[in-house]
Structures are given as C-alpha cells and as structure tokens.
Amino acid sequence: MPSMLRQITDFANRANPYPIYEELRRTPVLHEEDGPYVISTYYDIEALLHDPRISSDAVNVTAGGDDELSGQEATGLPPSFIRLDPPEHDRLRRIANSSFGPPHRPRRIENLRGDLGEIVTGLIDGFGDARQVDLVDQFAYPFPVTVICRLLGVPREDEPRFRAWVDPIVAGLDPDSRTSADSERTAQEARLQLGMYLNGLVEQRAKEPRDDMLSDLVDSKGPVGAMTTMEVLSTAVLLLIAGHETTVNLITNGMLTLLRHPEVLERLRDDPGLSVRIVEELLRYEPPVQLLPQRTCITDIEVHGVTIPKGSRIWLVLAAGNRDPERFKDPDRFDPDRQDIQHLGFGSGIHSCFGAPLARLEAQIALSELARRLENPRLVEDPPPYRQNAVLRGPRHLDIAFDGLR
C-alpha cells in the first residue's frame, strides 16, 4: 500500500489518527499510484455524499476488491442496501425502515427507552463489588448486542455463536485486510454462516410471526413490494452487525473522552440532559466510523481541480472532515456546548446511518448512567489498546477503576 494510505490504515496510528488527518487535508484530493482517491475536507465529503455520480454499488468498481457486506459470488447473499444505488437501495431501505420507524412504527425507538434503561442498570449492577472493569467487554459490547437482539428477534443466548462470525466480517471492513486473501475468504465464509443461521430464524418467523423486526421483514408488504428471502437475509445480516458494532465504539470512545475531560463528566453527572449535546459532539470529535472506503465514481468528476476518472475507488475520510478548521472553529477541542454541530458522524445523503436514532439514544442513556453511578472513575491505561481497524475505530479494551457504585 502506498505510503500515505498506509499511514491511514496503520495500526500504530489507531490511538491518535488525527495528526495524519490534518496532514491529509493539506492535499484535499490525495491519489497515489494504484490507490484510491482520498477525500478529507468537510465540504468536499458532504458534497460527494449527496452526489448521484458517486456509487455505492460494487459493480461499478473497475479495480480493487469488495467489502464485507456484499460479495454475492462468494457468499450466495445479495449485497445489503448500503452497497446498492437507487432505485434498489431506496426500495429495500424503505421496506426495512417500515419496521424501524415512521410511518408504520413511529415510536418503536422511543418506546425502547425504558428497556434500555433497565439493561444499562442491570449491566452496571453486574459490576458488583469490583473496583475495576473492562468497559468494552462488561458494558459497551453487551448493551447494544442485547438491544439489537431484542429488536430483531435473535436469541440473546446465541450471541457467542454469531460473535464468532461477526468478528471476521467486521475485520474485513479494514481496507488493509483486503491485501490478505485469507482474511477475505474468512470474512466471506463468516457472512455465509451468519446468513444460514439467520435463515433458520426467518423460516420460524414465516410460520409463527412475532413482534420483532425479522417478522416484519418476512411479512413486508406495501406499495414498494416485499423483500425476497435472500434480501431479508442480507438485510438481517446488515442490521445485526451495524446495530451493535458502531454503538460499541460510540459508547467506548465517549467514556474515554469524558474521562479525559473530567469537568464535562462532572457536568453530565449533575445534568443527564447534557448527554444529548455530548453525544452529538462525540460523533464529530471521535466518530466510530472513521472513513467510507466503498464509493466509486460512475463518470469523470472534478473535485478541487482534480479529475477523478470514471470507475475509480474513492475513500471519504469522515473523521478528517469532522475536524476540518474550514468548517468547525477550534476543531480539535471537545466542546459539548458547540452550537454548530452538523457533523459527518452518521454520514449524509441517502446512505446516512439507518440506525442513528437508536445509536443516539443508547449512547445518551449509557454515558449519563455511567457518569451518575461510577464513583471517582479513572482510566487504568491511556491510551488503551485499540482495535486493528481503520474504518471502525475504538478501543478493544477500556479498563476503568472506580471507588464504588452509587
């Protein structure tokens, strides 16, 4: 991999990639031989996310590999809707959204608030007499996994099974992993196995519908038609993975940031409502999704005076755009009182994060309760060890010591 691209994906830079992003912004359109075109400034990224000449469909790539949520040739599953363009993208997303929010389920997420609070309370109570915990393994991971399992209708006790498949699929997101044929095959096999597991649940719901999203997907009807069984499976794979992986990082990055800014943590303890602004600033300051490497231009386009040829792969470095001084004042400062907060943490345009309302609510409840209940929390190791993934960035472990539970 060329030098600058290697710096972006280099595991050694995971703890603090922001100096690399600052350097990237000096060349708004970076292109190195045989590599993608890397876009790192806010306004260019935002424009391209809304540009119909930019495709998310892998069939438009003239060079390069695939990603973890498509690859029908290898897995037998069609691409999920995040890897499709209109009109197919719009049809599948509209069906999926009908069981997730308006107009058919307008209060599905808000009605989860009580359940979310109970899950968080149970996890924190589960710390017991311990005075040190790994926040990832004991809180930030089990919380959103439990939530998405309930929403979809996946048995929570099956988590060890599907985690064994999810981990290699998520590892396949990292652009650097595409250099390893073994990694790619492992991710494809894991996606196939996860699809087969979900197929068993889908067959059950076809016979005995329940009040869950899998049943809604199976029974989808309406002006845009129904999903095929294969489309239900690819959508279920997407929702299961995206429904918890990014939220794990959002919560973990959030608590790490708050512990580095104890004055903000203290304010949150006294005012749980501050969690709304804190989460929005976190999505700008430490977004769980750092870059989008799965975009292709379907015609020649010009960005910042550079012509990007048709069929070229484009990387959109969301985290670099979120700290662009041309867009945000004092962008390297964590400021929950920031008034202008139109971040790229959930992307933008037709592919903006499907689960954003749920992720926001989960993070708000998680962080406000951790702030309220942990007495004198402090980091055991800073920086903590990070996951080896340039796309989904977050600590693999976050050890926190505290004096007790309120």
Side-chain angles (χ1 to χ4, degrees), residues 113 208 265 277 285 355:
R113 186 179 290 272
E208 300 177 5
L265 183 63
R277 297 208 304 271
Y285 183 78

Side-chain angles (χ1 to χ4, degrees), residues 299-328:
T299 186
D300 291 0
I301 62 172
E302 184 175 311
V303 180
H304 250 94
V306 175
T307 298
I308 303 178
K310 175 183 177 180
S312 298
R313 185 178 289 274
I314 296 174
W315 288 8
L316 304 176
V317 189
L318 304 180
N322 273 347
R323 294 207 188 187
D324 187 346
E326 295 296 319
R327 177 61 182 83
F328 296 104

Side-chain angles (χ1 to χ4, degrees), residues 291-368:
L291 69 94
L292 299 176
Q294 309 101 357
R295 296 293 188 272
T296 312
C297 53
I298 58 177
T299 186
D300 291 0
I301 62 172
E302 184 175 311
V303 180
H304 250 94
V306 175
T307 298
I308 303 178
K310 175 183 177 180
S312 298
R313 185 178 289 274
I314 296 174
W315 288 8
L316 304 176
V317 189
L318 304 180
N322 273 347
R323 294 207 188 187
D324 187 346
E326 295 296 319
R327 177 61 182 83
F328 296 104
K329 182 180 179 181
D330 199 5
D332 292 324
R333 180 167 60 93
F334 176 64
D335 180 11
D337 298 316
R338 191 181 296 275
Q339 297 300 306
D340 184 8
I341 192 61
Q342 290 183 328
H343 55 74
L344 299 169
F346 285 133
S348 191
I350 64 169
H351 290 290
S352 59
C353 178
F354 178 87
L358 177 59
R360 282 186 164 106
L361 187 58
E362 287 176 313
Q364 290 163 12
I365 292 173
L367 294 175
S368 60

Side-chain angles (χ1 to χ4, degrees), residues 373-395:
R373 297 200 58 193
L374 298 184
E375 293 184 358
N376 188 29
R378 52 205 181 271
L379 292 171
V380 174
E381 182 181 6
D382 192 11
Y386 274 78
R387 301 168 68 178
Q388 192 166 345
N389 197 309
V391 174
L392 295 179
R393 176 177 169 270

Side-chain angles (χ1 to χ4, degrees), residues 147-406:
V147 174
I148 196 61
C149 284
R150 287 190 187 181
L151 266 175
L152 279 176
V154 173
R156 179 65 175 84
E157 58 269 23
D158 286 351
E159 182 274 332
R161 292 179 63 194
F162 66 72
R163 186 175 192 179
W165 300 317
V166 168
D167 285 349
I169 293 173
V170 171
L173 274 167
D174 190 353
D176 218 10
S177 73
R178 296 194 183 97
T179 62
S180 169
D182 288 340
S183 297
E184 188 173 334
R185 281 193 296 270
T186 300
Q188 291 168 343
E189 176 64 22
R191 186 171 184 260
L192 176 60
Q193 294 296 324
L194 181 55
M196 292 172 62
Y197 163 76
L198 290 169
N199 185 57
L201 299 179
V202 165
E203 290 179 347
Q204 290 177 8
R205 297 308 189 275
K207 298 173 184 176
E208 300 177 5
R210 302 179 188 177
D211 184 21
D212 55 42
M213 288 185 68
L214 274 181
S215 298
D216 290 348
L217 293 175
V218 170
D219 192 43
S220 58
K221 295 181 178 68
V224 295
M227 286 186 181
T228 66
T229 298
M230 299 304 285
E231 289 169 344
V232 169
L233 292 177
S234 66
T235 301
V237 168
L238 169 66
L239 297 180
L240 181 60
I241 297 174
H244 73 273
E245 281 292 333
T246 53
T247 309
V248 173
N249 287 343
L250 178 56
I251 293 170
T252 311
N253 288 336
M255 197 59 188
L256 174 61
T257 301
L258 290 172
L259 290 169
R260 288 170 171 171
H261 296 81
E263 73 287 354
V264 179
L265 183 63
E266 187 66 30
R267 288 178 60 192
L268 178 59
R269 181 178 296 118
D270 296 335
D271 178 14
L274 183 62
S275 64
V276 175
R277 297 208 304 271
I278 285 175
V279 168
E280 293 310 303
E281 174 68 344
L282 284 169
L283 286 161
R284 182 197 70 83
Y285 183 78
E286 287 278 26
V289 179
Q290 296 272 295
L291 69 94
L292 299 176
Q294 309 101 357
R295 296 293 188 272
T296 312
C297 53
I298 58 177
T299 186
D300 291 0
I301 62 172
E302 184 175 311
V303 180
H304 250 94
V306 175
T307 298
I308 303 178
K310 175 183 177 180
S312 298
R313 185 178 289 274
I314 296 174
W315 288 8
L316 304 176
V317 189
L318 304 180
N322 273 347
R323 294 207 188 187
D324 187 346
E326 295 296 319
R327 177 61 182 83
F328 296 104
K329 182 180 179 181
D330 199 5
D332 292 324
R333 180 167 60 93
F334 176 64
D335 180 11
D337 298 316
R338 191 181 296 275
Q339 297 300 306
D340 184 8
I341 192 61
Q342 290 183 328
H343 55 74
L344 299 169
F346 285 133
S348 191
I350 64 169
H351 290 290
S352 59
C353 178
F354 178 87
L358 177 59
R360 282 186 164 106
L361 187 58
E362 287 176 313
Q364 290 163 12
I365 292 173
L367 294 175
S368 60
E369 279 299 286
L370 288 169
R372 184 179 72 85
R373 297 200 58 193
L374 298 184
E375 293 184 358
N376 188 29
R378 52 205 181 271
L379 292 171
V380 174
E381 182 181 6
D382 192 11
Y386 274 78
R387 301 168 68 178
Q388 192 166 345
N389 197 309
V391 174
L392 295 179
R393 176 177 169 270
R396 175 59 191 90
H397 299 284
L398 186 66
D399 289 330
I400 295 177
F402 51 94
D403 295 339
L405 296 177
R406 293 184 178 86

